[in-house]
């Protein structure tokens, strides 16, 4: 993983930092937050990555003319000044009104350079050279990232950045270094200034470059050729001395510009609530409102993807009129031993609700019963069906999976060419069809799961999923990728 990509991953963690209480805002349907534990993790990760990306750090050449009694003017040059090691024992991170402040304290650094000097008189010319090593002690580096939302995109600015060096010691090697140690000490202030200025400028440049990278991020993330997720920032960044919150729109939209979305979403969420990650002591919290799921449901409905023909089943005998002779006698009488098929057509976007016990989906559809007679598909009846299914979610590594079960089935006859149907018997067969065949097929796909966004070698770990107040809350730690099943859990008042 490249250093630049890694920093791009870590910085957003700091920028979406917040208290462990995560709520969807009035305009954003997905909110992000990081607890103090997560903030410390992201800060340490950022500092270590920044050090590895800056080292080795080249400092500008230093030249100085020194007047030495009895000798005259001596020209001293320090070149190839390189910081090759930095150690940060202590650091803090603090969100505030100006932005997110990161301070590294008590840092030490090691640098090396080549030294040379020359002087001449009317009698002779003399020169010498060698290498030197410098130990930098008590270094403090501070940076404040200014944050603002500009037309739905996060902008970064280096509001304040500085570096302070408390003490350095210089050791010369090569030539008659023992003779010139005192002379080189004249360069102490110049070396300190070079270290402070170079580190300050590099950190400032890094923030400016990172801001330019942020501007290239898309405001929509496509999923196939049907839908895209709107990731425009709609809320925040809102900062206090202890938290920072960012919300995004989070709704799915139709990629086809000619398509018209059918659906209206409201987000009348309270600013506070009992559903939160406050007791889980996790690093990150993600709040997803049920409207995000309903927007995806609307998109796929409008794209005419919710239509299924069932003409082949493991229990194939259910698709023959002989199996229905006692349930719908006239069907078997008119079409004896003919093959059958079912057309399921969803009539409106499935309604998804997030309740304290889990996820509930309600689907209204028409089921056409067809008979295949002499190669011709003949619709013989249409049944209106309302299905209510409950589900749960879980996470394995970077994969979101889950399962569903049939909770309720209601059916009514819309029209029939084969006489009046005994709906209780038909409903019983349909319920068996759904529970024994359709639901297992769906669960097989859900167990395979859907990949979560790649975090460049880092993933959610020990997560818990809480259902509460029309939202799914994911509370999780972050660690290097490895397989670990993360079950769901429910939230109760």
């Amino acid at each position: 993983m490249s250093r630049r990509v890694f920093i791009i991953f870590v910085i957003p963690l700091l920028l979406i930092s917040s208290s462990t209480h995560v709520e969807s805002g009035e305009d954003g349907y997905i909110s992000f937050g990081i607890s103090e534990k997560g903030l410390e993790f992201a800060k340490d990760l950022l500092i270590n990555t920044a050090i590895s990306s800056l080292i080795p750090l080249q400092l500008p050449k230093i030249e100085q003319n020194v007047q030495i009694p009895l000798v005259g003017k001596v020209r001293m040059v320090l070149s190839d000044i390189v910081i090759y090691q930095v150690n940060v024992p202590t650091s803090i991170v603090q969100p505030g009104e100006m932005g997110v402040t990161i301070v590294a304290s008590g840092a030490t650094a090691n640098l090396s350079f080549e030294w040379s000097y020359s002087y001449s008189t009317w009698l002779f010319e003399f020169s010498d050279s060698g290498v030197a090593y410098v130990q930098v002690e008590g270094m403090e580096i501070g940076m404040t990232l200014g944050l603002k939302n500009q037309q739905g995109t996060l902008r970064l600015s280096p509001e304040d950045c500085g570096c302070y060096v408390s003490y350095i010691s210089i050791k010369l090697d090569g030539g008659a270094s023992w003779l010139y140690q005192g002379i080189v000490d004249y360069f102490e202030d110049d070396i300190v200034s070079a270290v402070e200025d170079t580190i300050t400028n590099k950190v400032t440049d890094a923030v400016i470059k990172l801001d330019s990278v942020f501007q290239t991020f898309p405001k929509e993330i496509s999923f196939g050729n049907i839908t895209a997720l709107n990731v425009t920032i709609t809320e925040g960044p809102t900062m206090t001395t202890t938290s920072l919150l960012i919300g995004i729109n989070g709704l799915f939209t139709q990629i086809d510009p000619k398509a018209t979305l059918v659906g209206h979403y409201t987000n009348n969420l309270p600013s506070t609530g009992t559903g939160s990650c406050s007791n889980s002591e996790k690093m990150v919290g993600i709040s997803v409102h049920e409207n995000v799921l309903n927007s995806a449901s609307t998109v796929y409905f409008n794209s005419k993807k919710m239509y299924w023909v069932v003409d082949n089943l493991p229990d194939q005998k259910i698709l023959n009129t002989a199996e229905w002779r006692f349930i719908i006698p006239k069907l078997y009488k008119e079409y004896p031993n003919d093959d059958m098929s079912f057309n399921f057509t969803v009539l409106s976007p499935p309604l998804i609700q997030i309740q304290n016990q889990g996820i509930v989906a309600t689907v209204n559809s028409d089921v056409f019963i067809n008979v295949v007679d002499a190669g011709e598909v003949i619709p013989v009846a249409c049944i209106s069906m309302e299905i209510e299914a409950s589900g749960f979610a879980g996470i394995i590594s970077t994969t979101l999976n889950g399962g569903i079960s049939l909770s309720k089935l209601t059916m009514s006859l819309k029209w029939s060419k084969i006489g009046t149907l005994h709906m209780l018997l038909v409903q019983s067969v349909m319920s068996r069809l759904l529970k024994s065949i359709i639901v297992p097929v769906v669960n097989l796909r859900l167990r395979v799961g859907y990949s979560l966004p790649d975090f460049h070698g880092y993933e959610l770990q020990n997560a818990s999923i809480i259902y509460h107040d029309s939202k799914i809350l994911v509370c999780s730690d972050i660690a290097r990728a490895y397989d670990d099943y993360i079950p769901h859990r429910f939230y109760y008042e």
Side-chain angles (χ1 to χ4, degrees):
M1 175 179 55
S2 69
R3 291 169 176 170
R4 184 177 74 86
V5 171
F6 189 75
I7 291 177
I8 291 172
F9 158 64
V10 176
I11 281 286
L13 293 182
L14 292 174
L15 301 184
I16 61 177
S17 61
S18 75
S19 63
T20 51
H21 188 85
V22 182
E23 293 287 347
S24 298
E26 294 181 357
D27 300 312
Y29 294 94
I30 299 179
S31 296
F32 302 90
I34 298 184
S35 68
E36 183 177 357
K37 177 182 176 183
L39 199 57
E40 285 293 320
F41 174 84
K43 178 259 300 176
D44 292 340
L45 207 54
L46 174 63
I47 290 176
N48 292 334
T49 305
I51 290 174
S52 64
S53 64
L54 289 175
I55 301 303
L57 179 59
Q58 187 83 35
L59 275 62
K61 182 169 67 173
I62 300 174
E63 297 185 38
Q64 193 173 126
N65 294 319
V66 182
Q67 187 70 32
I68 301 177
L70 303 178
V71 175
K73 184 179 291 186
V74 178
R75 181 173 181 268
M76 301 285 295
V77 178
L78 308 186
S79 60
D80 291 330
I81 309 172
V82 177
I83 298 177
Y84 61 87
Q85 184 178 22
V86 174
N87 179 51
V88 179
T90 307
S91 59
I92 61 171
V93 58
Q94 181 68 60
E97 294 183 1
M98 291 184 60
V100 177
T101 299
I102 302 173
V103 178
S105 303
T108 61
N110 298 96
L111 58 91
S112 63
F113 60 82
E114 295 181 1
W115 61 270
S116 65
Y117 84 95
S118 64
Y119 70 90
S120 60
T121 68
W122 64 277
L123 290 176
F124 61 86
E125 182 175 326
F126 190 81
S127 64
D128 202 353
S129 63
V131 296
Y133 301 94
V134 179
Q135 177 72 32
V136 181
E137 302 282 352
M139 185 165 57
E140 291 196 6
I141 306 169
M143 172 184 64
T144 297
L145 291 172
L147 312 175
K148 67 177 180 179
N149 176 8
Q150 186 177 75
Q151 297 179 342
T153 300
L154 190 65
R155 297 302 305 265
L156 312 182
S157 60
E159 296 297 326
D160 189 16
C161 184
C163 176
Y164 170 75
V165 174
S166 176
Y167 167 79
I168 68 170
S169 63
I170 306 173
K171 180 183 178 181
L172 298 185
D173 279 335
S177 56
W178 59 272
L179 180 64
Y180 313 116
Q181 182 71 52
I183 298 175
V184 173
D185 287 340
Y186 281 106
F187 286 87
E188 181 175 322
D189 291 342
D190 293 325
I191 295 174
V192 168
S193 296
V195 171
E196 293 175 342
D197 293 344
T198 301
I199 290 180
T200 298
N201 293 336
K202 286 293 184 181
V203 172
T204 300
D205 291 344
V207 174
I208 294 173
K209 290 179 181 179
L210 187 60
D211 176 68
S212 65
V213 172
F214 268 54
Q215 306 322 303
T216 65
F217 288 177
K219 293 185 178 180
E220 288 187 338
I221 300 176
S222 299
F223 290 84
N225 58 359
I226 296 175
T227 185
L229 180 67
N230 187 337
V231 293
T232 302
I233 296 175
T234 56
E235 180 185 5
T238 304
M239 289 167 284
T240 69
T241 56
T242 58
S243 66
L244 187 154
L245 179 68
I246 288 180
I248 66 171
N249 176 278
L251 296 181
F252 288 89
T253 58
Q254 199 95 8
I255 288 181
D256 184 0
K258 298 180 181 180
T260 302
L261 277 180
V262 178
H264 176 68
Y265 309 106
T266 59
N267 192 8
N268 300 319
L269 291 179
S271 57
T272 60
T274 55
S276 71
C277 301
S278 57
N279 296 324
S280 60
E281 298 181 353
K282 300 295 184 179
M283 290 183 181
V284 297
I286 305 170
S287 171
V288 181
H289 193 270
E290 64 185 23
N291 284 347
V292 174
L293 306 180
N294 282 310
S295 67
S297 170
T298 299
V299 166
Y300 279 92
F301 174 79
N302 289 340
S303 63
K304 303 186 185 305
K305 297 293 183 180
M306 295 185 176
Y307 174 87
W308 300 275
V309 176
V310 179
D311 56 6
N312 187 18
L313 293 172
D315 184 10
Q316 192 65 23
K317 64 182 180 180
I318 201 173
L319 293 179
N320 188 282
T321 56
E323 185 73 8
W324 294 77
R325 62 186 183 276
F326 301 117
I327 302 171
I328 311 176
K330 191 173 181 180
L331 172 65
Y332 180 73
K333 181 179 179 180
E334 294 188 11
Y335 304 98
N337 292 314
D338 278 347
D339 290 334
M340 299 172 61
S341 66
F342 300 99
N343 289 10
F344 291 83
T345 302
V346 177
L347 302 178
S348 60
L351 176 64
I352 301 174
Q353 296 175 298
I354 300 174
Q355 302 176 356
N356 288 352
Q357 291 76 27
I359 304 170
V360 177
T362 303
V363 183
N364 290 303
S365 68
D366 279 347
V367 181
F368 293 88
I369 301 176
N370 306 311
V371 173
V372 182
D373 187 44
E376 181 184 1
V377 178
I378 305 172
V380 295
C382 179
I383 297 172
S384 177
M385 182 167 62
E386 180 178 295
I387 301 173
E388 184 177 291
S390 59
F392 67 91
I395 299 173
I396 299 178
S397 186
T398 56
T399 301
L400 175 66
N401 55 21
I404 65 168
S405 60
L406 182 64
S407 303
K408 183 179 178 181
L409 176 63
T410 304
M411 303 180 69
S412 61
L413 182 64
K414 295 188 75 170
W415 56 264
S416 172
K417 298 179 180 178
I418 49 177
T420 302
L421 306 186
H422 195 308
M423 291 307 301
L424 288 179
L425 294 178
V426 174
Q427 182 168 315
S428 175
V429 175
M430 283 295 182
S431 179
R432 179 165 61 92
L433 173 67
L434 291 171
K435 289 181 178 180
S436 61
I437 299 175
I438 305 300
V439 170
V441 170
V442 173
N443 280 332
L444 180 62
R445 180 63 185 92
L446 292 177
R447 279 197 296 271
V448 173
Y450 301 87
S451 296
L452 295 173
D454 181 20
F455 290 149
H456 305 286
Y458 285 80
E459 65 181 18
L460 301 180
Q461 181 190 54
N462 299 325
S464 57
I465 296 178
I466 305 171
Y467 308 106
H468 178 72
D469 194 23
S470 304
K471 299 183 298 296
I472 297 176
L473 301 177
V474 181
C475 310
S476 179
D477 288 332
I478 294 178
R480 289 190 178 276
Y482 65 92
D483 292 335
D484 183 25
Y485 181 68
I486 304 167
H488 74 286
R489 72 180 176 91
F490 299 122
Y491 182 86
Y492 297 97
E493 299 243 317

